[in-house]
Amino acid sequence: LMITPQSTIFPNYLTISQMGLIDTRLGVMLPYFASAMGTFLLRQAFKSVPESLEDAGKLDGCNTFQLIRHVFLPIVRPTLIAFSIISVTYHWNEFLWPLLVTETSRSRTLTVGLTIFAQQAEGGAEWSLLMAATLIVVGPLLIAFTVFQKLFVQSFANSGMKG
């Protein structure tokens, strides 16, 4: 958590390059598959499940996967949704890493494409088109947050954090 993502760009780039994943979608996504914040957040969420519920599930004959599905996941669902929204928003808005790893438009992200679109104007930016494109890029995030807003707010209320 104390190491900023920007400080890992060079080692990540070397790794992605050695794997032959430059200019691929997988190359853009791979460094974000693991998250220290997600690990600690979900660890705390799962530790908050009362041990008596786990014992009750075992007494009812649940195996490990049934315990996770029927006992743990319903309790930590708001935390999972909150982390998912935060993570997707962060990665959706990421600019530097996709700019470094992509070379062609087929694997670029929308944020990089939006910047290139803004720079393509010969006599200055076409603000009406740029604002329409920005709304299209931001639209999916707004829709997702609107759909999951209640669970997002509930996850922070349940965790004891003040908003």
Side-chain angles (χ1 to χ4, degrees):
L1 284 174
M2 304 219 14
I3 298 174
T4 62
Q6 291 79 12
S7 64
T8 63
I9 284 179
F10 185 68
N12 284 345
Y13 186 84
L14 288 177
T15 303
I16 295 297
S17 178
Q18 290 170 353
M19 295 172 77
L21 296 175
I22 297 292
D23 201 32
T24 62
R25 290 183 187 131
L26 184 61
V28 173
M29 294 184 292
L30 198 59
Y32 298 115
F33 284 162
S35 164
M37 183 184 120
T39 301
F40 288 120
L41 183 68
L42 293 176
R43 177 185 178 271
Q44 289 306 112
F46 280 103
K47 283 186 71 137
S48 71
V49 175
E51 196 172 315
S52 59
L53 287 177
E54 183 180 355
D55 294 339
K58 287 178 182 176
L59 284 176
D60 287 342
C62 290
N63 60 30
T64 304
F65 295 111
Q66 290 172 329
L67 271 174
I68 292 171
R69 182 171 179 229
H70 296 293
V71 177
F72 290 112
L73 284 181
I75 294 172
V76 300
R77 181 188 300 154
T79 305
L80 285 169
I81 291 172
F83 174 68
S84 298
I85 290 173
I86 291 168
S87 181
V88 166
T89 302
Y90 175 77
H91 298 309
W92 187 274
N93 292 325
E94 181 67 31
F95 179 76
L96 183 60
W97 176 250
L99 181 66
L100 292 174
V101 178
T102 59
E103 298 169 354
T104 62
S105 61
R106 71 178 175 87
S107 58
R108 284 199 177 111
T109 60
L110 289 174
T111 53
V112 175
L114 191 61
T115 303
I116 292 171
F117 177 71
Q119 293 174 348
Q120 294 294 327
E122 294 176 17
E126 301 233 5
W127 292 109
S128 58
L129 292 176
L130 187 58
M131 291 300 116
T134 302
L135 184 61
I136 291 171
V137 169
V138 172
L141 292 176
L142 291 174
I143 292 169
F145 182 76
T146 304
V147 169
F148 296 111
Q149 180 179 11
K150 183 178 179 183
L151 288 172
F152 184 73
V153 172
Q154 179 185 358
S155 68
F156 288 111
N158 289 343
S159 68
M161 294 174 59
K162 301 281 182 184

